[in-house]
Amino acid sequence: MSLREASGGNMELGDCNMNPGYQDAEGGGSAADQNQDLAEEYTQIKPYAGMPKEVLLLYSSQARYRVPREILFWLIVAGILALVALTVTVIALSPRCLSWWQASPVYQVYPRSFRDSDGDGVGDLKGIQEQLHHFEYLNIKSVWISPFYRSPMKDFGYDVEDFRAIDPLFGTMHDFEELLAEMHNKDLKLIMDFIPNHTSDRHRWFNLSRTGDPHYKDYYVWTDCNATAPKPNNWVSIFGNSSWTYDDLRGQCYLHQFLKEQPDLNFRNPHVRQEIIDIIHFWLGKGVDGFRMDAVKHILEAEHLRDEPQVDPKQPPEDVTTEWDLYHDYTTSQLGLHDMLREWRAEMDIYSREPGRYRCMVTESYDYHEVEKTMMYYGTPQVKESDFPFNFYLLDLPQNPSGMWVKHLVHMWMGNMPKGQWPNWVVGNHDKSRIASSAGQIYVCVINMLLLTLPGTPTTYYGEEIGMENINVTDSQIQDPAGKYNSSASRDPQRSPMQWSDDINAGFNTKSNITWLPVHPDYSSVNVEVQKKEPGSILAQYRFLSTLRQSELPLHRGWFCYVHADANVFSYLRELEGLGRAFLMVLNFGKESAITDLSSIRELPDQLKVLMSTNQVNSGKVLQKSHIPTEVGEGLLIQYSTHTRFNPTHPDQCYVSEKACYLSALDILYKC
C-alpha cells in the first residue's frame, strides 16, 4: 500500500517531507505534532525496503522483532565464549608440539666426501646444495654438516684457523649463504659443527699468545717447562703421547688434548668465553639452526696440573702414552663445564624467540661406561643445557650381536635418561667404523629398522642409508692424522666418497678422475641411483621407515615398551593411549634363525600382520603371536589393532618422554 493510498488519496508530496524546519517555514504544525501524526499513519503500514528511520525504529522496538534479535545476539556471544573456552582448553590440554630436531632423523654430512662440484676431488658446499633433493627423498629435515671453517686441515677442519671464514677448499661465504637459503626454502634445517675446545696453531689468537701480547697471552693453557723434556705432568693426548708441546718463541709449554697443532683454549679467561659467545652470535645471525658442540668434556682442565691416576699403578710412568692408560680426573668434565654450556644455551635461546626458528644445541662427549656424566648434559628441570647429548652406545653393537646385548645398549640410555627428556641414537659417524663393516652387511637393514623405530631422534651418517662399507686404505693412501701416528687408528676407511651412481667416481666427482680418498669398489651396485629402482633395497626400506616414523604417532611420540629379548631377538612395541593401532618390532640380531613366542603377552592379538620385513618376501604375512619366525638379520615391523594397552600394567618396562593421549572424535592429542 502506498502512502497516498493510506491517507485516502489526499496526501500531497509536501506532506511526505520529514524536515521539521521546512514544515515550520510553510506555516505548518510543530515538529512534534508532525512526528506524532506520521507515527499514527505508520501504524497502518507494513515494513518495506527503503523505509525512513522513524518507521524502522517504530517496528524494531516491537517485541516480535526485538526478542529474536536479542536472542540471536546472546547466542552469538555464548558461541564466541564457548569457542574461546574450547580453544583455551585445547591449548591447556595439548602436549607440546615436537620441534624440528625431534620430527625427523638427523643426517650427518662429511663435506669432504659428500659431493664434489668443481672437480678438485674434495667435496664442497655447492656439492651439498646440488644434492638437497636427496634429503627430501628420505624425508629428512635436519642436516648436520661437519666443519668447513678455514683450516690448515691437520685434523680435517677440527683445527680452526678462523671461526668466521669458510675454507676455500669448500667454497666461499657466499656459497654457504646460498646453501643455507636454499635449505630453508626446502624446509631443511642446518646444524653446524662447533669446535670450542681448541683452535689451530695458526689461529691469530695463538700467534698473539705466543708473542706474549698482554690481551692474548692467557688465551691458551701455558705453563713453565723444560725444552728438553716438555712434560709438566703425565697428561696424554687423545692421539697419543704427551699433551704438552714446548714453544720456542714463548719459552713455555702449551696444552693440547688433541694434536699439537690444536692448542687448547683457556676457558678460565673471561675474554675467551666472550670470544666464543661472539662467534655463536655470528653464525646464529647468519641463520644457522643449531650447533653440535664438539668434545665438550675437554673444555676445562684442573688448574693445579697434577698427574692423573694411572689405570695400572704398576705401569712404568714412561710407558704411559695413550688415553687409556690414565683416569682422566683432571682433564675432563671439570667443575664449571656445565655452567658454561648453560650460558651458551641461554645465548641460543635469544634467537629461538622468533616463531618457528628454534635453535638446537647438541653436545658430543664420549663418556663410555660413565653414562651418568653424559646425562648431565641434558641440564636440570630448572636450567636447560643441550637438547640432547649424542648417544654412542649403539656403536658397541658389533661387539656381541644378540638380542640381549642390543636391549642392554638401549637400556643403558633409556634407564638412565632423566624423566621427560628426549633420547637419540647413533650407529655411525666420521670417527667410527661403518656399521655395515663392523657388524656385517647382513645386519644393516635390521639396524636401520632399530634406529628408525626407537623413541627419540635417530642420527644417520652419510651412506648408511645405502649400506656403504669401509674402504681399504694402504699406508701410502692414509690422509687421517690419527692414522699417520698409528695406521690401525686411521679413520679414513669410513670417510670414502659418497656413492651416488655407477658413473665415474660413483658420481661423487664427474668432472675429473680425482678423489681425495679411493671410492669403494662396490659402488657400481651399492649406490643411490641403483637402489632407488629396487623396491626392497636398503635405501627403499630406510625411506619407508623414515616416512612411517613421521606419519605414525606411536612411532614418533608414543610409549616404548620392552617385550622380549633372548640370544637372538630383541622385541619391543610402540603404542599411544586412545589410538586403535600400535606397532610391534621383532628384530633378529643373533647368529641363527629364531622362533619367537609372544603368547604370554595378552595385550597382543593372536594374529599379527607384518607391515614390513627387511626380508621383502615376508612383508604382508599373517603370523601367530606364539610363532614368529625371523632369519638372521631380519626385522619385522608389525602393525596391529588394539584398545588394550601394554604400558599401564608394565610400568617398569615402558618409557615415554611426554605422555599424550589421542582423542579420535576430534583427531587431536591431549595431555593425560
Side-chain angles (χ1 to χ4, degrees), residues 243-256:
S243 58
W244 297 96
T245 291
Y246 181 77
D247 181 72
D248 292 329
L249 183 61
R250 177 148 169 164
Q252 286 185 307
C253 282
Y254 63 88
L255 176 70
H256 53 89

Side-chain angles (χ1 to χ4, degrees), residues 268 273 299-300 333-342:
R268 301 191 186 281
R273 296 172 75 143
I299 287 175
L300 286 174
S333 305
Q334 296 299 294
L335 186 65
L337 166 64
H338 292 280
D339 292 333
M340 192 155 39
L341 293 174
R342 290 164 191 166

Side-chain angles (χ1 to χ4, degrees), residues 532-550:
K532 277 185 176 181
K533 301 173 184 177
E534 299 174 356
S537 67
I538 299 172
L539 181 68
Q541 292 183 20
Y542 185 99
R543 185 189 187 209
F544 175 83
L545 290 167
S546 176
T547 303
L548 188 72
R549 178 187 179 276
Q550 185 181 40

Side-chain angles (χ1 to χ4, degrees), residues 47 64 121 159 166 172 183 190 223 243 295 352 370 380 399 420 426 460 472 508 510 559 597 632 640:
R64 60 176 173 168
D159 51 322
I166 308 295
T172 65
M183 289 182 68
L190 171 60
T223 191
S243 58
S352 297
E370 297 179 300
T380 69
Q399 293 180 11
V426 176
T460 293
N472 292 320
F508 165 73
T510 58
W559 285 89
D597 180 3
V632 175
Y640 61 96

Side-chain angles (χ1 to χ4, degrees), residues 486-549:
N486 177 4
S487 60
S488 64
S490 175
R491 298 165 295 179
D492 290 333
Q494 59 262 28
R495 298 177 178 181
S496 62
M498 177 65 177
Q499 294 162 205
W500 294 106
S501 68
D502 59 3
D503 201 353
I504 182 176
N505 301 319
F508 165 73
N509 171 16
T510 58
K511 295 184 177 180
S512 68
N513 197 23
I514 305 172
T515 57
W516 78 284
L517 281 173
V519 174
H520 198 289
D522 71 0
Y523 77 89
S524 59
S525 59
V526 180
N527 65 70
V528 173
E529 190 176 279
V530 165
Q531 293 194 16
K532 277 185 176 181
K533 301 173 184 177
E534 299 174 356
S537 67
I538 299 172
L539 181 68
Q541 292 183 20
Y542 185 99
R543 185 189 187 209
F544 175 83
L545 290 167
S546 176
T547 303
L548 188 72
R549 178 187 179 276

Side-chain angles (χ1 to χ4, degrees), residues 101-102 104-106 144 292 360-365 374-375 377-378 386-395 409-410 412-414 417 421-429 450-452 454-460 549 657:
W101 51 272
Q102 299 169 306
S104 92
V106 172
W144 155 34
R292 175 258 193 191
C360 171
M361 187 171 102
V362 181
T363 47
E364 183 225 28
S365 178
T374 305
M375 295 302 159
Y377 294 105
Y378 277 116
S386 60
D387 291 291
F388 58 77
F390 268 138
N391 170 7
F392 297 117
Y393 291 101
L394 288 183
L395 293 171
L409 297 177
V410 170
M412 280 279 287
W413 197 269
M414 300 304 293
M417 183 178 67
Q421 296 295 349
W422 188 259
N424 77 102
W425 312 93
V426 176
V427 296
N429 61 27
L450 173 75
L451 186 72
L452 292 165
L454 285 172
T457 298
T459 300
T460 293
R549 178 187 179 276
S657 289

